Amino acid sequence: MAHGLQIHLHLDRGVPVLELTGDLDLTTADELRVHGRELVDAALDRTRSDAAGVSEPPAVVVLDASGVTFVDSSGLGAVVSILKRALAHRAGFSIAGSGPQLRARLAQTGLDRVVALHASTGEAVVAAIGPAADPNRRIPEGGHRAGRGDGAG
């Protein structure tokens, strides 16, 4: 069953995205625990140092699980270790692109109520930093954004 795990880190609009591809199981969980934590540490330290002198970007780590083909309880434990590492940095944590198997495991443990789940990495990044600024977007007259009109907005 073990086909290995690839772990890649990239920044999407300043948000660290830890991209996983392959099986997340007993044979690969330690790799995520060790290598993934190192990447999270480096990414969060870098985004904070890049923001020196300006307002700090939201510290959020997105775990892109769209390439995960299998997950067992050991793999889920490794995901929890990444969550804990993000929390140790006082950062948020979300999972993007989780398949049915990972979502089921998260639901079984109640983690789906603790971790934000998003359909895609792009959706997770927008949730973290807000929609990209559109210079052509106009704010309605009076300076308020359009809402429902009942104060719920």
Side-chain angles (χ1 to χ4, degrees), residues 1-141:
M1 200 181 304
H3 295 100
L5 180 69
Q6 294 179 349
I7 305 169
H8 298 284
L9 176 80
H10 65 275
L11 297 179
D12 187 337
R13 291 173 269 171
V15 174
V17 176
L18 196 62
E19 183 180 341
L20 306 180
T21 306
D23 294 343
L24 190 47
D25 58 17
L26 180 62
T27 61
T28 61
D30 280 341
E31 183 179 351
L32 179 58
R33 280 188 189 96
V34 173
H35 190 57
R37 288 171 56 132
E38 290 171 357
L39 290 172
V40 167
D41 287 346
L44 290 174
D45 288 345
R46 180 176 42 186
T47 57
R48 287 194 173 114
S49 65
D50 287 350
V54 295
S55 64
E56 192 171 302
V60 175
V61 174
V62 174
L63 185 102
D64 179 357
S66 60
V68 173
T69 53
F70 176 80
V71 63
D72 68 9
S73 59
S74 299
L76 187 60
V79 169
V80 170
S81 75
I82 300 299
L83 164 64
K84 288 180 178 179
R85 195 55 161 189
L87 294 176
H89 281 276
R90 296 183 175 211
F93 181 80
S94 63
I95 298 176
S98 59
Q101 187 184 36
L102 179 56
R103 281 194 310 273
R105 292 214 184 266
L106 292 168
Q108 288 170 346
T109 60
L111 284 169
D112 62 334
R113 292 176 289 197
V114 176
V115 175
L117 301 177
H118 299 281
S120 68
T121 300
E123 183 182 293
V125 169
V126 167
I129 65 172
D134 181 357
N136 298 320
R137 184 174 176 209
R138 293 183 44 139
I139 296 177
E141 212 170 300

